[in-house]
Amino acid sequence: MKIVFMGTPAFAVPCLQMLVEEGYNVVAVLTQPDRPQGRKKTLTPSPVKEAALSLGLPVLQPERLRRGEAVEELAAYEPELIITAAYGQILPKAVLDLPVRGCVNVHGSLLPKYRGGAPIQRSVINGEKMTGVTLMYMAEGLDTGDMISKVEVPIDEADTAGTLFEKLSLAGRDLLKSEMQRLVAGPVPAIPQDDSEATYAPNLKREDERIDWNAGSRDIYNRIRGLVPFSGVFTLWNEETFKVWAAANPSNTPGSTYKSTNAVPGTVLALNEQGILVKTGDGVLVLTSVQPAGKKAMSASDFARGGSMKPGMVLV
C-alpha cells in the first residue's frame, strides 16, 4: 500500500520513523517549506524534512497545498493512505478524496477538546492535568473528523510544552503503530465527535507571550511553561523586552512574607539567590531564568547579582 506522510515539527518525526521501521511503503513526505531562523535568518528545514531525507524518502514542500499544481504533484504518487501529524496546513477536499483508505491524523489532544493548531501549548497554559493523543479520520472541518482511538497522557506540574510535546509524540507513535494494520486493511470503525463538547486551541500570537502581572501566580507560571522552549514569555523592563524562561512552582514558592504587600502587580520585591521575586495578582512568583534585551538567557540569580534591577521597579 502506498502511504504519504505529512508532518512538520519534531512531534511528527517518531511516527514517520516508525512507519519506515515497520516496513510500511512510505512513497513521499510532505512538509512545510524551509523557513528562516535565527538572527541570520538562515533557511532551515523542518525536523520532518531532515528525517525524511535521512530515510531516503522523496520530500515535497508546497507553499499552499490548496493549489492545483500541488494536488497534482501529490496525486502522481497515487497515495492509498495519507497520515498526517502536525503538518501545518488544512487539507483541501481534493486531497482528502485522493486515498481509498482515507486521511488519518495524529492529533495532540483528547478530541473534541482543544481542536486547532496549538493544543499542546494551550493545554499547559490552561493548567490541564490530563491530555492525550487522538487518532482520527480527517474531514473538511478543523479537527472535526471521526475518532478511531485515543490514549491519555497526564500533564505533570513540572511539564513544559517541550516535555509534553515529547511525551505526546511518543504516545502518538505508539497509538499509530497499534492501529496501522487495521488502517491498511480499512475502513476502521470510528466514532463521531460530540461538537457540543468541543473547545478550541488557536495558534499562538504575540499577545499570548506577554505576562499579565495582574493574573494569579499559578496562571503566570502555567503561561511560562506553556511557551517554553519555543517563544518563551516576556514582560517590559525599562521599556525593553525582558524574557522569562522559567519560574519556580508557586506551590513551592518561598517568600510568603511578601504576599501581603500592597505593591502593585509586577513590582520587583526582592532579588536574591532564589531568583527575582515579583508581585502578582494574588501573591508572589519567583523568576528563575531570564533574558534581558540583547543578552543571552541566564539564571535569575546571576542576573540579580548584576545589580541593574532593583526592588521597587515595576515590570509591565
Side-chain angles (χ1 to χ4, degrees):
M1 170 172 286
K2 295 179 180 178
I3 298 172
V4 166
F5 185 83
M6 300 181 179
T8 297
F11 173 82
V13 171
C15 285
L16 173 61
Q17 292 172 330
M18 179 276 296
L19 291 171
V20 175
E21 289 168 0
E22 293 297 311
Y24 292 103
N25 182 26
V26 180
V27 296
V29 174
L30 268 71
T31 190
Q32 293 294 297
D34 297 0
R35 302 297 189 196
Q37 290 188 7
R39 291 186 177 181
K40 295 183 178 179
K41 304 297 182 185
T42 304
L43 277 180
T44 305
S46 73
V48 164
K49 179 180 179 180
E50 291 184 329
L53 293 177
S54 71
L55 294 167
L57 299 172
V59 175
L60 309 179
Q61 297 178 275
E63 189 70 45
R64 294 284 182 272
L65 188 53
R66 290 184 174 278
R67 291 175 181 167
E69 60 270 24
V71 177
E72 290 177 6
E73 189 176 19
L74 172 60
Y77 285 93
E78 301 178 332
E80 297 167 271
L81 174 66
I82 291 177
I83 296 173
T84 72
Y87 172 52
Q89 293 189 38
I90 295 175
L91 273 56
K93 189 173 185 304
V95 171
L96 294 174
D97 290 342
L98 279 179
V100 292
R101 289 289 184 263
C103 298
V104 174
N105 182 40
V106 182
H107 185 78
S109 82
L110 297 172
L111 292 171
K113 304 294 185 185
Y114 291 95
R115 294 173 175 172
I120 299 174
Q121 296 96 323
R122 293 204 182 273
S123 293
V124 178
I125 290 171
N126 291 343
E128 298 285 1
K129 304 297 184 187
M130 184 67 70
T131 183
V133 178
T134 303
L135 201 64
M136 55 173 286
Y137 281 116
M138 301 186 74
E140 288 189 78
L142 179 63
D143 299 326
T144 57
D146 294 351
M147 302 178 293
I148 299 165
S149 57
K150 300 182 186 180
V151 60
E152 292 186 342
V153 175
I155 303 177
D156 188 85
E157 279 200 352
D159 271 326
T160 65
T163 61
L164 192 57
F165 258 86
E166 185 173 353
K167 289 180 181 179
L168 294 178
S169 172
L170 299 179
R173 174 201 63 189
D174 294 344
L175 183 64
L176 178 63
K177 181 179 178 179
S178 69
E179 296 287 358
M180 273 306 297
Q181 289 189 357
R182 290 206 306 156
L183 292 171
V184 169
V188 178
I191 302 171
Q193 295 185 39
D194 184 347
D195 291 338
S196 68
E197 295 185 356
T199 61
Y200 291 90
N203 290 329
L204 295 160
K205 298 180 179 178
R206 179 66 170 168
E207 54 262 36
D208 292 310
E209 300 170 13
R210 184 164 183 172
I211 296 175
D212 175 6
W213 292 108
N214 291 294
S217 298
R218 170 63 58 181
D219 290 340
I220 298 172
Y221 175 71
N222 289 341
R223 183 167 296 276
I224 293 169
R225 64 195 188 98
L227 293 169
V228 169
F230 306 108
S231 61
V233 300
F234 73 95
T235 185
L236 296 181
W237 173 54
N238 288 341
E239 299 182 349
E240 291 190 331
T241 297
F242 187 81
K243 285 230 174 189
V244 178
W245 290 104
N249 187 333
S251 299
N252 307 321
T253 295
S256 58
T257 54
Y258 294 99
K259 290 184 178 178
S260 60
T261 178
N262 292 323
V264 299
T267 300
V268 175
L269 302 175
L271 302 98
N272 54 37
E273 289 303 310
Q274 297 166 347
I276 304 171
L277 281 67
V278 185
K279 180 72 172 66
T280 67
D282 64 356
V284 178
L285 189 66
V286 181
L287 310 183
T288 57
S289 178
V290 299
Q291 183 176 7
K295 296 185 178 180
K296 295 182 178 179
M298 66 184 79
S299 72
S301 57
D302 284 347
F303 173 76
R305 281 191 285 271
S308 52
M309 182 181 284
K310 306 290 185 186
M313 290 182 167
V314 179
L315 307 177
V316 295

